[in-house]
Amino acid sequence: MDFDTAFWAGVGMASAVATALATGVSTVAAVWWRRQDRQEADWAIYNVRPFRTHRDSHGNEPSLGLDLDVANAGDGVAFRVVATATGGDVRIQGPLVESGLGVRGHMHRRSQPLVPVMPPGEAVHLRIDVAGPEEWATAAVELSWVHPPTWKKRRNTRTLRLLVADLATLPPQRATDPVAGEPAGQPAAE
């Protein structure tokens, strides 16, 4: 084998290795960048209002909980948004709407089991009922959603866990129940 043949064989081999290496590095960089640059849902919690109700004149039981609004503040869509609770109960509620009861100005929210699609900028209201004051420190809400793409057989579900105690302090208990005149939280004597 003469020098020219060996030289050009070496150049061909070096260019093949360089091309393969450059292609591999470029592919890895493109895949990494695509994963870093994808749109994701991010959550903003606002209008957090703890509440404690007492027995009223209609016989409704006292309740303890938290009202808050959750908005998709990210740049991606969240699918199948579901809220679950430990140490209590949670309801996803839509926007305030006028009731059809003929009472002017009477507004209410409709509860729904899940939000099918929540685009960026969209918000829902959560009503969290805590089982009791002793559960306040451990009660939590989990917000879960499916991250796109949704067509894959393996669902990419994400979860955000919020402790009630981290969102708000336990609302104080009033000294007496205004309806029955009894100490708050105590049943009326029969």
Side-chain angles (χ1 to χ4, degrees):
M1 187 187 296
D2 64 345
F3 176 74
D4 284 343
T5 307
F7 175 75
W8 289 113
V11 168
M13 184 63 79
S15 66
V17 169
T19 302
L21 187 62
T23 302
V25 169
S26 175
T27 301
V28 168
V31 168
W32 175 80
W33 181 253
R34 181 128 168 101
R35 290 189 58 81
Q36 296 300 316
D37 195 35
R38 73 182 161 184
Q39 297 176 341
E40 294 195 29
D42 190 22
W43 303 100
I45 314 301
Y46 62 100
N47 290 340
V48 178
R49 297 170 307 280
F51 65 86
R52 182 188 292 253
T53 61
H54 300 282
R55 193 171 358 95
D56 62 14
S57 60
H58 302 292
N60 294 326
E61 289 298 314
S63 64
L64 174 68
L66 198 63
D67 281 325
L68 57 96
D69 293 320
V70 178
N72 181 355
D75 58 357
V77 178
F79 296 95
R80 296 187 51 85
V81 179
V82 178
T84 56
T86 56
D89 185 36
V90 64
R91 290 186 303 266
I92 298 176
Q93 297 178 324
L96 279 170
V97 293
E98 184 129 5
S99 72
L101 301 175
V103 180
R104 185 180 177 118
H106 185 265
M107 306 293 277
H108 73 284
R109 297 179 189 270
R110 291 192 176 100
S111 294
Q112 54 199 46
L114 68 92
V115 179
V117 178
M118 196 162 171
E122 194 75 24
V124 293
H125 180 80
L126 294 183
R127 172 91 178 197
I128 305 160
D129 292 317
V130 178
E134 60 282 348
E135 298 286 333
W136 190 268
T138 58
V141 173
E142 286 190 357
L143 196 64
S144 60
W145 68 98
V146 175
H147 186 323
T150 58
W151 55 267
K152 289 184 174 179
K153 293 203 186 295
R154 182 180 59 92
R155 297 261 186 218
N156 189 1
T157 303
R158 308 264 172 103
T159 302
L160 173 67
R161 183 175 170 83
L162 304 167
L163 286 173
V164 170
D166 289 345
L167 295 171
T169 58
L170 180 66
Q173 185 171 359
R174 286 192 282 196
T176 61
D177 188 330
V179 174
E182 300 286 331
Q186 301 294 324
E190 295 182 21

